[in-house]
Amino acid sequence: MLKIGELAALASVSRDTLRFYEKHGLITPGERNDAGYRLYSETDVHRISFIMGAKEVGFTLNEIHQLLELEVTKDEKSCHDIKQFVDAKISIVNQRLAEIKRIKKSLQTLSSACCGGDEPATHCTILEALSEQTN
Amino acid sequence: MLKIGELAALASVSRDTLRFYEKHGLITPGERNDAGYRLYSETDVHRISFIMGAKEVGFTLNEIHQLLELEVTKDEKSCHDIKQFVDAKISIVNQRLAEIKRIKKSLQTLSSACCGGDEPATHCTILEALSEQTN
DNA sequence: ATAAACCCTGGAGTACAGTCTAAGGTCAAT
DNA sequence: ATTGACCTTAGACTGTACTCCAGGGTTTAT
Ligand SMILES: [Zn+2]
Ligand SMILES: [Zn+2]
Ligand SMILES: [Zn+2]
Ligand SMILES: [Zn+2]
């Protein structure tokens, strides 16, 4: 059984983060010692590990919440269900990707149209372009 | 001179947004009528137009604040300054792009390793992979 | 015995970009 | 005269993911 600081060190997160995750239902350490300190089991360690892994691949805490439910009830779920969840996330990520690519392209168009010279910017095509109506 | 609702309709934003931008120093309508209503000039319309254009290409309100200062003092600035600002933003965007691409790749790796079948997910490689230590 | 290091709680604060509400004042039309 | 559409303010709320603080209690080492 680990105390919060020990688990925090193990998982490279702050104690506050662990308490935050608990408050939001991501972990549920059942036991407390006589002083009221949280005690974390092997299962809790595994759960944190899962959470960190999911964060690493870009899931939000909300999504991780749903993933944890899949994980806990995995004998009632199928690979199909899990894969579908991941694929749904991929399509969200693809949307963000497309938006950022669009932005990058716009910025590059702006940048390359500007002479970049040392004369006053009163003629700057960037400033002009920005104030042009897009609708 | 336009009232706030008229400018809002023109710019396709809410009145609240215009007041929000004002509170954060992005616009500064000088005049008010006898009833205390904001009155917007041509210059203000141009400014909003600039802000919307900058938002469109992904600048944050904070960055737009800086851009507006460049715009207002453009006779003292050079194209070099403006271009540099845009290029700095491009490199921020590139970082976000790289991160999202990394996430997409990870998710695709996860997805393609899963059989996606209808059997119980107790053997699912996705769930396994997520709880693996990355550090 | 006492200091340092740890634990607890509730609540506030951060950045971002608004949105919404309450409680009022004004203006145009019916 | 009264309805409805518009305007004003200050301040609270949204979601995301924490981080920090105050004001306590506990454990460990010297
Ligand atoms: Zn130039
Ligand atoms: Zn230029
Ligand atoms: Zn499978
Ligand atoms: Zn699977």
Side-chain angles (χ1 to χ4, degrees):
Chain A
M1 291 303 224
L2 302 171
K3 278 184 288 182
I4 198 167
E6 293 162 341
L7 178 54
L10 204 77
S12 312
V13 295
S14 72
R15 310 177 229 291
D16 275 335
T17 297
L18 292 178
R19 286 189 277 253
F20 176 81
Y21 286 171
E22 180 179 341
K23 195 162 70 185
H24 288 74
L26 294 174
I27 36 178
T28 334
E31 293 190 57
R32 299 279 181 126
N33 71 9
D34 291 354
Y37 291 15
R38 289 167 181 81
L39 295 175
Y40 295 92
S41 68
E42 249 330 291
T43 313
D44 295 320
V45 175
H46 181 263
R47 236 174 137 75
I48 287 291
S49 174
F50 185 94
I51 293 169
M52 300 321 279
K55 268 181 65 72
E56 185 69 23
V57 298
F59 286 108
T60 65
L61 294 191
N62 214 308
E63 289 161 346
I64 293 172
H65 215 309
Q66 297 167 247
L67 266 175
L68 280 167
E69 264 176 48
L70 291 175
E71 215 273 333
V72 168
T73 61
K74 62 183 164 193
D75 30 359
E76 301 157 33
K77 308 288 176 188
S78 64
C79 265
H80 180 78
D81 298 329
I82 317 282
K83 187 170 185 153
Q84 200 165 50
F85 192 90
V86 172
D87 287 346
K89 179 66 181 181
I90 288 175
S91 85
I92 291 171
V93 168
N94 274 332
Q95 282 169 37
R96 291 220 289 136
L97 198 57
E99 170 68 357
I100 293 183
K101 279 182 178 168
R102 183 190 68 72
I103 284 170
K104 178 179 175 178
K105 228 177 220 173
S106 306
L107 289 170
Q108 279 176 333
T109 304
L110 280 180
S111 176
S112 59
C114 170
C115 78
D118 283 335
E119 329 84 67
T122 41
H123 74 283
C124 186
T125 54
I126 292 173
L127 297 179
E128 269 169 46
L130 287 179
S131 49
E132 245 143 55
Q133 295 288 30
T134 333
N135 44 325
Chain B
M1 291 304 223
L2 301 171
K3 278 185 287 182
I4 198 168
E6 293 162 342
L7 178 54
L10 205 76
S12 312
V13 296
S14 72
R15 310 178 228 295
D16 274 334
T17 299
L18 291 177
R19 292 189 198 106
F20 177 82
Y21 286 171
E22 179 178 341
K23 195 162 71 184
H24 288 73
L26 294 175
I27 35 177
T28 333
E31 293 190 56
R32 299 278 180 129
N33 71 9
D34 290 355
Y37 292 15
R38 288 168 181 80
L39 296 175
Y40 297 92
S41 68
E42 250 330 291
T43 313
D44 295 320
V45 175
H46 181 263
R47 236 172 137 76
I48 287 292
S49 174
F50 186 94
I51 293 170
M52 300 322 277
K55 269 180 66 71
E56 185 71 20
V57 297
F59 286 108
T60 66
L61 293 191
N62 215 309
E63 289 161 346
I64 293 173
H65 215 309
Q66 295 167 250
L67 266 175
L68 280 167
E69 262 176 48
L70 291 175
E71 215 274 334
V72 168
T73 60
K74 60 184 166 193
D75 30 358
E76 300 157 34
K77 309 287 176 188
S78 65
C79 266
H80 179 78
D81 297 329
I82 317 282
K83 187 170 186 157
Q84 201 166 49
F85 192 89
V86 172
D87 288 345
K89 179 65 179 181
I90 288 175
S91 85
I92 292 171
V93 168
N94 274 332
Q95 282 169 36
R96 292 219 291 138
L97 198 58
E99 171 68 357
I100 293 183
K101 278 181 180 170
R102 182 190 69 74
I103 284 171
K104 177 177 176 178
K105 233 178 217 170
S106 306
L107 289 170
Q108 279 177 333
T109 303
L110 279 179
S111 176
S112 57
C114 170
C115 77
D118 284 335
E119 328 85 66
T122 42
H123 74 283
C124 185
T125 52
I126 292 174
L127 297 179
E128 269 169 45
L130 287 180
S131 50
E132 246 144 54
Q133 294 289 31
T134 333
N135 43 325

